Amino acid sequence: MAKLSLVGLGPGSLDLMSIRAQDVIRNADVVVGYGLYVKLIAPLITDQALVRSGMTKEWQRADCAIKHVLEGQNVALVCSGDAGMYAMAPLVFELIANQSLQMEVETIPGITAANACASLVGAPLGHDSCTISLSDLLTPWDVITKRIEAAAVADFAITFYNPRSRKRQNHIIEAQEILLKHRAPETPVAVVNAAYRGEQSVQLSTLDKFTELVFGMNAAVIVGNSSSYRFDDWIVTPRGYKNKYTLEDGATLAGQTPGRSLKQETESSKERV
């Protein structure tokens, strides 16, 4: 039976793409994707048929991939990041469900933009976090602002996707204004463009100043929570260990009052075995 594989390419470099994703692409009869993403996997293309299209052609790509599977071909529909996050998987499953189609579908996970960008600046997503797209092409802006407000109140570290475009310059400024009602101006912010690609750039700033930087659609903006701090070129969002553990010699993180020691925890674990 033919299969439709929704393949997450991750940031785009082959060394950060899963072995499973590479194997699926190599063994596909047809590879479907946005032109840039197909170009990124050129070393994996041999005799597969290629179907490429441009921006805003997501519907056509999804429909094309489904039709090829119904014709009996194994199809790899490739997406940057993870196929299930702001990518093609939701649309594909919608189309299949709406038409009550019976076909085999698998999703091959990929490294998301949030994870890729965060890895370049330390551990900014070390505690509870969320992602919010600032594109209002498919989601009303008033819905997006409610989500920003909720995330700000809940003190999530936030990764903003699609932060700015030529036509959409003010959305990121409105997001900044909402966050400044709930977070300190010096809250650390990272602006990462094209993570792990040739044009990669990393800029570190603060909540009150980051909108002065130059960035566009290819960037992700990571805003720390109330506990996040800057250390050299890293942003750290603590998980909370300093309130629970000490080292065996009694040393603590950040000079906090010693809590339960790692030695005690190890001994307790042995007792439970």
Side-chain angles (χ1 to χ4, degrees), residues 213-264:
L213 302 175
V214 177
F215 57 90
M217 284 285 288
N218 288 333
V221 175
I222 302 177
V223 181
N225 68 12
S226 61
S227 299
S228 302
Y229 62 90
R230 172 90 175 265
F231 175 71
D232 290 338
D233 291 332
W234 298 342
I235 295 175
V236 181
T237 299
R239 180 71 176 87
Y241 291 105
K242 71 180 182 182
N243 300 319
K244 186 175 178 65
Y245 300 111
T246 64
L247 301 178
E248 291 188 17
D249 62 1
T252 62
L253 288 171
Q256 296 297 307
T257 303
R260 190 177 189 185
S261 71
L262 293 178
K263 183 176 181 180
Q264 290 174 319

Side-chain angles (χ1 to χ4, degrees), residues 11-265:
S13 58
L14 293 182
D15 63 329
L16 288 178
M17 191 185 308
S18 72
I19 295 173
R20 174 65 177 159
Q22 295 183 47
D23 287 344
V24 166
I25 293 169
R26 287 192 182 99
N27 294 320
D29 299 312
V30 182
V31 175
V32 180
Y34 172 52
L36 173 61
Y37 304 153
V38 173
K39 183 178 180 180
L40 292 173
I41 58 172
L44 305 178
I45 303 300
T46 53
D47 58 353
Q48 305 96 314
L50 296 179
V51 179
R52 290 168 281 200
S53 58
M55 292 288 287
T56 74
K57 300 296 183 180
E58 293 86 359
W59 185 281
Q60 291 89 333
R61 286 198 291 276
D63 184 60
C64 175
I66 290 171
K67 287 180 177 177
H68 278 290
V69 174
L70 294 176
E71 292 171 358
Q73 297 171 303
N74 290 312
V75 177
L77 177 55
V78 299
C79 313
S80 67
D82 182 87
M85 290 191 64
Y86 305 115
M88 295 295 297
L91 175 56
V92 168
F93 283 112
E94 282 186 77
L95 290 175
I96 292 173
N98 288 341
Q99 299 175 62
S100 299
L101 300 175
Q102 298 297 315
M103 65 170 59
E104 186 176 356
V105 183
E106 66 172 340
T107 301
I108 312 299
I111 297 173
T112 68
N115 296 140
C117 294
S119 73
L120 296 171
V121 292
L125 306 180
H127 210 319
D128 297 333
S129 65
C130 68
T131 60
I132 299 175
S133 171
L134 295 188
S135 172
D136 57 0
L137 181 63
L138 301 175
T139 305
W141 179 240
D142 64 326
V143 173
I144 296 173
T145 56
K146 289 177 182 177
R147 292 173 178 171
I148 298 170
E149 183 79 35
V153 171
D155 199 30
F156 284 115
I158 305 171
T159 303
F160 288 113
Y161 283 55
N162 307 311
R164 183 184 277 162
S165 68
R166 283 175 294 182
K167 296 181 179 179
R168 186 171 37 78
Q169 294 288 315
N170 292 324
H171 285 9
I172 190 65
I173 295 175
E174 290 186 47
Q176 177 192 43
E177 292 170 350
I178 293 171
L179 291 174
L180 281 170
K181 293 189 299 181
H182 304 279
R183 298 187 192 178
E186 63 270 18
T187 300
V189 175
V191 179
V192 182
N193 181 74
Y196 295 98
R197 298 182 188 175
E199 62 272 30
Q200 172 185 299
S201 69
V202 178
Q203 303 176 86
L204 297 181
S205 186
T206 55
L207 182 57
D208 60 339
K209 296 180 179 178
F210 80 93
T211 53
E212 300 171 11
L213 302 175
V214 177
F215 57 90
M217 284 285 288
N218 288 333
V221 175
I222 302 177
V223 181
N225 68 12
S226 61
S227 299
S228 302
Y229 62 90
R230 172 90 175 265
F231 175 71
D232 290 338
D233 291 332
W234 298 342
I235 295 175
V236 181
T237 299
R239 180 71 176 87
Y241 291 105
K242 71 180 182 182
N243 300 319
K244 186 175 178 65
Y245 300 111
T246 64
L247 301 178
E248 291 188 17
D249 62 1
T252 62
L253 288 171
Q256 296 297 307
T257 303
R260 190 177 189 185
S261 71
L262 293 178
K263 183 176 181 180
Q264 290 174 319
E265 183 68 23

